[in-house]
Amino acid sequence: MSVHDDLTSVQRCLDDLQRSVRRLEQQMGTGLEMRRVRADADHLRESLALLREAAGPSPRRPTGPGPAVSASDGLPDLVTVSDTPYDSSLWTDSDDEGLGAHHGPSH
């Protein structure tokens, strides 16, 4: 895993922590102990933001067989696909998956 992958993983954990702290706060109220827990969670988020800045911009790279993912928000990049039909000559010597091979003029 790269540093940026690790930072993204930590960010997700902190997001989960923040949600859990909010739910806990709704159940237990905003007493001194709860305020301390919330403040600690906020400090962790601020510290992670500083670490991200120190790590510099993350490289954009494909994550495997899926679309490229922007490291800044973790969402896939959108790709516009034209509605115009493809040139059918691109497919003249290809096989339809699952239908078997169709080669030559007799098929």
Side-chain angles (χ1 to χ4, degrees), residues 42-54:
D42 290 342
H43 288 141
L44 284 171
R45 292 178 71 82
E46 292 167 7
S47 296
L48 182 64
L50 293 172
L51 277 175
R52 280 185 179 275
E53 287 177 19

Side-chain angles (χ1 to χ4, degrees), residues 24-82:
L24 196 58
E25 194 171 18
Q26 289 172 350
Q27 295 171 359
M28 297 186 67
T30 57
L32 175 64
E33 296 85 3
M34 197 66 238
R35 287 194 308 261
R36 289 184 64 179
V37 169
R38 187 173 10 101
D40 289 344
D42 290 342
H43 288 141
L44 284 171
R45 292 178 71 82
E46 292 167 7
S47 296
L48 182 64
L50 293 172
L51 277 175
R52 280 185 179 275
E53 287 177 19
S58 61
R60 293 173 55 137
R61 58 181 171 77
T63 58
V69 174
S70 173
S72 63
D73 56 11
L75 299 175
D77 291 339
L78 298 179
V79 177
T80 304
V81 178
S82 173

Side-chain angles (χ1 to χ4, degrees), residues 85-104:
Y86 288 108
D87 180 9
S88 61
S89 67
L90 293 172
W91 315 111
T92 56
D93 62 344
S94 65
D95 295 331
D96 288 337
E97 187 176 317
L99 299 178
H102 296 278
H103 296 285

